[in-house]
Amino acid sequence: MVERKAFYLFFPNPLQAQSAVLTMVQSIEELARFCDALSNPVRVKILKLLCEKEWYVYELAKTLGISRQLLYLHLKKLEKAGLVESELRLEPDDPRAKKYYRAKPFKLVIDNDVVKRLEG
């Protein structure tokens, strides 16, 4: 008998887990984009930090020890995969707009049945 294993990925914010909407990946391209976004350890670390709280780009880059330009490249890939979202804010004491990022609630389950149902 062959043991079937499923791949589960959870992030430690219980509030997000309660409000997560389970959406099925419908195509091979969607699954590849999602997995590609998580294939880099820096992006996984970014996602972990964004699951804990929302971050202003400058503070997040400083915490990670990377340039804002590099951070924006990673965030763009995470945003394209639907894992994070951003919001532009004007603060009363600062005339510049600041971009804040946060993780979107998600749950990833990949098993043989999911892969069989993919289109493409």
Side-chain angles (χ1 to χ4, degrees), residues 58-100:
Y58 176 78
E59 295 167 338
L60 186 56
K62 190 175 176 183
T63 299
L64 292 165
I66 62 175
S67 70
R68 283 180 288 166
Q69 293 81 7
L70 180 57
L71 177 59
Y72 274 120
L73 290 173
H74 286 302
L75 288 168
K76 184 177 178 182
K77 191 162 271 211
L78 289 167
E79 204 165 20
K80 188 175 179 182
L83 295 168
V84 302
E85 59 190 0
S86 63
E87 180 181 356
L88 207 54
R89 293 188 196 154
L90 290 172
E91 311 242 340
D93 57 337
D94 192 345
R96 296 172 293 163
K98 293 184 177 181
K99 198 165 196 176
Y100 286 83

Side-chain angles (χ1 to χ4, degrees), residues 2-115:
V2 176
E3 179 184 351
R4 286 190 170 187
K5 292 184 180 180
F7 175 76
Y8 296 92
L9 177 64
F10 297 98
F11 284 89
N13 186 336
L15 295 175
Q16 288 183 340
Q18 291 171 359
S19 64
V21 176
L22 184 60
T23 57
M24 295 293 294
V25 174
Q26 300 294 320
S27 70
I28 292 170
E29 290 79 19
E30 282 181 283
L31 180 59
R33 186 172 44 251
F34 198 85
C35 291
D36 184 42
L38 296 174
S39 69
N40 185 296
V42 174
R43 284 193 291 273
V44 174
K45 188 172 184 179
I46 291 167
L47 188 56
K48 181 182 184 308
L49 290 170
L50 293 174
C51 283
E52 294 167 0
K53 67 174 194 169
E54 66 179 12
W55 287 79
Y56 170 50
V57 170
Y58 176 78
E59 295 167 338
L60 186 56
K62 190 175 176 183
T63 299
L64 292 165
I66 62 175
S67 70
R68 283 180 288 166
Q69 293 81 7
L70 180 57
L71 177 59
Y72 274 120
L73 290 173
H74 286 302
L75 288 168
K76 184 177 178 182
K77 191 162 271 211
L78 289 167
E79 204 165 20
K80 188 175 179 182
L83 295 168
V84 302
E85 59 190 0
S86 63
E87 180 181 356
L88 207 54
R89 293 188 196 154
L90 290 172
E91 311 242 340
D93 57 337
D94 192 345
R96 296 172 293 163
K98 293 184 177 181
K99 198 165 196 176
Y100 286 83
Y101 281 86
R102 66 183 158 270
K104 292 172 73 173
F106 72 94
K107 177 180 177 180
L108 174 64
V109 178
I110 301 173
D111 63 13
N112 294 42
D113 293 329
V114 170
V115 173

